[in-house]
Amino acid sequence: MKIINNIILSAVLLGGSLVHAQKADIIITNGKISTLDAKNNEVQAVAISGNKILQTGTNAQILKLKGRETKIVDAKGNRVIPGLFDSHMHVIRGGRFYNLELRWDGVTSVKRALQMLKEQAARTPQGQWIRVVGGWNEYQFEEKRLPTLEEINEATGDVPTFILYLYGKAWLNKAGLEKLQITGDTPNPAEGLIQKDENGDPTGLLVAEPNAFILYSTLAKLPNMNREEEINSTLQYMTELNRLGVTAVMDAGGGFQNFPDDYSITDELNKQGKITVRLPYFLFAQKKGSELADYTKWIGMVNLDEYAHNGHNEVDYHVEGGGENIVGDAADFENFLFPRPVLPATMEDNLKSVISLLVKHRWPFRLHATYNESIERFLNVIEEVNRETPLNGLVWFFDHAETVSEENMQRIKALGGGIAFQHRMAYQGESFIKRYGKKPALASPPVKRMLELGIPVGLGTDGTRVSSYNLWVALYWITTGKTIGGNQVMAQENTLDRTTALRLATHKGYELIKEEKKGKIEKGYYADLVILDKDYFTVSEEDIKNITSKLTIVDGKVVYGDKDFQTVSPAPLEVIPSWSPVKYFGGYQKK
């Protein structure tokens, strides 16, 4: 018996020593580390073991966890934060086209924008297009104006060109009109305009009135890349997000993003372990009139129970639910160049049929909802569904909610819903004011009030076709109330402090989908964190827009590093095709 007891005692002691002897795979030292834990501690160092945070503390405390194989990363006094979580972006669709797009995000002048067009025209091969797709407006330019069609045609010559402006219009140059065979006899699509001159010839301007179908359907006609190039493009886009400190995205689907066919690139990358952002995604109904059939089919194809909320796979790549488009009748287009669309009388019945299906099968859902008038009617439907089939804590939330009222926020709260909001007003604030006046813009959306009511709220971008994918611009906007043109649109009293804003772009976003152990630098949390090149908490407000990552870690793995961290970072992937604008200009611009 004594021998047995000694064996047991030795095992206990050995077990205890093993626990205390657990060593880190990565240790970050000498940082100003914002944990965002309950006490909002700032620490010097953090240890990572596998894909979890092992411990935080002082340099001396954490270096005790160093083993023979531990990588030591010196943060050199830089700010370290949890990885950013964009609660609304279109990564899977955006990745398929990223390498084809000339980005004007961050460009500071029309002169520079036109020069980029001219340079790209010189290298774009026959059969391909120049395309500028979202993330900019005229107020960011020092000239405070849009480029003209004459300037676009001069810069691009005989290379077909498509330039998308927010949700409202697009320009085709002369070569683009010819390539698509658009003439004076080409009919206007429903709720769209092909502008013509006094001779009846198309000028090249396409206008959403207010439906953006004319814009997106035209874009869909342009040539794609081959599969190898699309894989490379998706990897480049995720790396660009990592460069900006983004470690997770809720993908909101998008128009012309068909499931499952258009998910094959990310499906393949997931199998290869190459996805570098956590990527739960929602399924977006594509064809008006067949939404119920689509969701019935998808529910039969996808078993959400396989993805119980316990970490999923390494990058959380899985179907999260349905939306943001649930039925076409509920599309309240956020085109502030035109009046708010009035949704058809058929909306309620069609929306109820799909939401009822989703609730019965316990599928989370999200719903695009720009205007309070639409939200009012959507809530009527959700309340009716809830009376018949109780939501009982099911994850659901509205996207956007720029003009949601106090009464409807109370109703959202009562139904256990949330709100994912984005920085679209940073890009469309001036257009909103021109149509609706200054006063409604002062609290659009009313984020501070949402938080006071205790509604789960997450911050995102809605990149790439309207706003930029740069989440730092969203943090700039919500902490200053200013657009990318520097105009004060949101009232100062309705803005958020920097810590609260950062919480909405990290762990609070996970609360929308009731995820735990993510979005903080805290023991037991998943190891997603970023060393910043500028201190978010002390830089000037204008510099917030220009923050980037020096080192990004996702699920315990280094996925991006700048020149100072080359020895611990993956080597950059060469951009293909060789003429890609990304190869020459990169993504988000600073000049």
Side-chain angles (χ1 to χ4, degrees), residues 106-114 140-143 591:
V107 173
T108 58
S109 70
V110 173
K111 181 179 179 181
R112 173 61 179 160
L114 292 170
Q140 75 191 51
F141 298 144
E142 60 189 32
E143 299 93 339
K591 61 180 180 178

Side-chain angles (χ1 to χ4, degrees), residues 275-290:
I275 292 179
T276 63
V277 292
R278 298 189 184 277
L279 196 54
Y281 59 92
F282 288 75
L283 302 187
F284 185 116
Q286 295 293 313
K287 188 176 179 182
K288 190 172 182 178
S290 64

Side-chain angles (χ1 to χ4, degrees), residues 76-340:
K76 300 178 182 177
N78 285 294
R79 176 66 60 186
V80 183
I81 64 168
L84 299 180
F85 179 25
D86 190 322
S87 58
H88 184 128
M89 196 195 289
H90 301 274
V91 170
I92 299 171
R93 181 184 67 186
R96 291 168 49 217
F97 302 102
Y98 179 70
N99 282 6
L100 291 174
E101 295 172 356
L102 178 68
R103 303 299 305 184
W104 281 354
D105 310 44
V107 173
T108 58
S109 70
V110 173
K111 181 179 179 181
R112 173 61 179 160
L114 292 170
Q115 181 60 36
M116 292 170 73
L117 284 182
K118 186 174 182 179
E119 291 178 24
Q120 189 56 37
R123 67 174 66 97
T124 301
Q126 188 172 2
Q128 273 294 352
W129 285 61
I130 300 171
R131 58 192 92 189
V132 179
V133 183
W136 66 280
N137 71 19
E138 68 269 39
Y139 299 100
Q140 75 191 51
F141 298 144
E142 60 189 32
E143 299 93 339
K144 303 301 179 185
R145 68 172 180 86
L146 295 168
T148 66
L149 270 165
E150 291 76 12
E151 290 171 326
I152 292 169
N153 277 302
E154 182 180 354
T156 56
D158 60 0
V159 181
T161 299
F162 174 94
I163 299 175
L164 179 67
Y165 173 79
L166 303 176
Y167 204 82
K169 52 191 174 183
W171 295 271
L172 289 167
N173 68 349
K174 291 179 180 178
L177 288 170
E178 293 174 5
K179 193 72 175 178
L180 295 177
Q181 299 181 330
I182 295 175
T183 70
D185 296 325
T186 304
N188 293 321
E191 299 182 281
L193 171 70
I194 300 171
Q195 186 191 66
K196 299 177 179 65
D197 61 20
E198 60 274 11
N199 297 316
D201 296 321
T203 64
L205 178 64
L206 308 178
V207 183
E209 293 187 334
N211 194 328
F213 178 79
I214 186 175
L215 312 180
Y216 290 174
S217 61
T218 302
L219 182 60
K221 294 174 183 176
L222 308 191
N224 295 330
M225 296 177 284
N226 62 39
R227 186 171 183 84
E228 180 187 8
E229 292 165 343
E230 285 188 341
I231 288 173
N232 182 275
S233 178
T234 299
L235 290 170
Q236 298 291 346
Y237 185 36
M238 289 190 294
T239 298
E240 169 71 352
L241 296 178
N242 297 151
R243 184 184 73 84
L244 294 170
V246 174
T247 60
V249 172
M250 267 200 287
D251 191 291
F256 298 91
Q257 177 66 20
N258 294 286
F259 182 81
D261 296 349
D262 291 333
Y263 291 74
S264 64
I265 299 297
T266 40
D267 286 347
E268 181 174 336
L269 291 174
N270 181 52
K271 290 176 183 177
Q272 296 174 6
K274 292 183 178 180
I275 292 179
T276 63
V277 292
R278 298 189 184 277
L279 196 54
Y281 59 92
F282 288 75
L283 302 187
F284 185 116
Q286 295 293 313
K287 188 176 179 182
K288 190 172 182 178
S290 64
E291 300 96 340
L292 182 60
D294 283 343
Y295 280 114
T296 301
K297 177 178 67 175
W298 295 337
I299 286 171
M301 292 170 59
V302 177
N303 182 2
L304 294 190
D305 290 338
E306 294 178 2
Y307 307 107
H309 289 239
N310 58 1
H312 311 292
N313 52 42
E314 288 183 343
V315 290
D316 299 353
Y317 177 74
H318 65 277
V319 175
E320 182 71 29
E324 66 177 294
N325 184 62
I326 293 181
V327 296
D329 280 352
D332 67 337
F333 311 108
E334 72 279 18
N335 180 2
F336 300 140
L337 300 179
F338 282 83
R340 173 184 61 84

Side-chain angles (χ1 to χ4, degrees), residues 256-559:
F256 298 91
Q257 177 66 20
N258 294 286
F259 182 81
D261 296 349
D262 291 333
Y263 291 74
S264 64
I265 299 297
T266 40
D267 286 347
E268 181 174 336
L269 291 174
N270 181 52
K271 290 176 183 177
Q272 296 174 6
K274 292 183 178 180
I275 292 179
T276 63
V277 292
R278 298 189 184 277
L279 196 54
Y281 59 92
F282 288 75
L283 302 187
F284 185 116
Q286 295 293 313
K287 188 176 179 182
K288 190 172 182 178
S290 64
E291 300 96 340
L292 182 60
D294 283 343
Y295 280 114
T296 301
K297 177 178 67 175
W298 295 337
I299 286 171
M301 292 170 59
V302 177
N303 182 2
L304 294 190
D305 290 338
E306 294 178 2
Y307 307 107
H309 289 239
N310 58 1
H312 311 292
N313 52 42
E314 288 183 343
V315 290
D316 299 353
Y317 177 74
H318 65 277
V319 175
E320 182 71 29
E324 66 177 294
N325 184 62
I326 293 181
V327 296
D329 280 352
D332 67 337
F333 311 108
E334 72 279 18
N335 180 2
F336 300 140
L337 300 179
F338 282 83
R340 173 184 61 84
V342 178
L343 303 180
T346 53
M347 185 277 291
E348 279 81 356
D349 286 344
N350 290 334
L351 183 62
K352 182 183 177 184
S353 66
V354 178
I355 291 183
S356 295
L357 176 75
L358 295 173
V359 174
K360 286 175 183 176
H361 289 272
R362 306 303 294 167
W363 265 49
F365 63 91
R366 64 193 303 168
L367 183 58
H368 173 107
T370 300
Y371 301 98
N372 188 62
E373 292 84 350
S374 304
I375 292 169
E376 178 86 19
R377 293 174 63 183
F378 298 159
L379 284 169
N380 292 342
V381 171
I382 297 170
E383 287 171 342
E384 188 174 341
V385 171
N386 183 55
R387 286 192 291 269
E388 297 173 5
T389 309
L391 292 165
N392 279 345
L394 181 69
V395 169
W396 76 273
F397 53 93
F398 285 128
D399 284 294
H400 317 312
E402 275 85 359
T403 65
V404 64
S405 69
E406 171 73 19
E407 179 186 359
N408 284 332
M409 285 189 284
Q410 297 277 4
R411 295 169 73 191
I412 293 167
K413 169 70 173 176
L415 287 164
I419 298 173
F421 76 101
Q422 301 78 41
H423 66 328
R424 300 191 309 182
M425 288 292 283
Y427 290 84
Q428 300 191 85
E430 291 87 356
S431 298
F432 184 95
I433 289 173
K434 286 179 180 180
R435 178 155 298 279
Y436 299 109
K438 179 68 175 177
K439 187 176 180 180
L442 295 177
S444 182
V447 179
K448 184 168 281 188
R449 182 57 181 154
M450 296 173 191
L451 296 176
E452 289 171 352
L453 290 170
I455 296 171
V457 174
L459 177 61
T461 62
D462 202 7
T464 60
R465 292 186 171 179
V466 177
S467 308
S468 174
Y469 54 78
N470 188 344
L471 195 51
W472 292 107
V473 177
L475 286 161
Y476 162 80
W477 160 72
I478 197 58
T479 55
T480 68
K482 294 180 181 179
T483 67
I484 59 171
N487 296 312
Q488 190 75 43
V489 172
M490 179 179 284
Q492 285 280 0
E493 61 265 26
N494 294 324
T495 62
L496 304 180
D497 66 84
R498 296 190 189 190
T499 298
T500 299
L502 185 59
R503 289 187 183 281
L504 299 187
T506 53
H507 64 94
K508 290 292 184 180
Y510 287 110
E511 291 180 10
L512 276 174
I513 51 175
K514 301 184 180 179
E515 289 275 5
E516 298 179 348
K517 300 297 182 181
K518 293 172 185 173
K520 298 180 185 180
I521 302 176
E522 187 174 345
K523 183 177 180 179
Y525 274 63
Y526 286 88
D528 303 337
L529 48 88
V530 182
I531 301 177
L532 302 179
D533 70 336
K534 299 179 184 68
D535 190 337
Y536 164 69
F537 293 105
T538 61
V539 295
S540 70
E541 61 183 32
E542 291 301 318
D543 275 339
I544 293 175
K545 292 181 290 189
N546 297 318
I547 293 174
T548 59
S549 169
K550 294 184 70 63
L551 185 81
T552 302
I553 295 174
V554 177
D555 209 50
K557 301 179 182 65
V558 176
V559 296

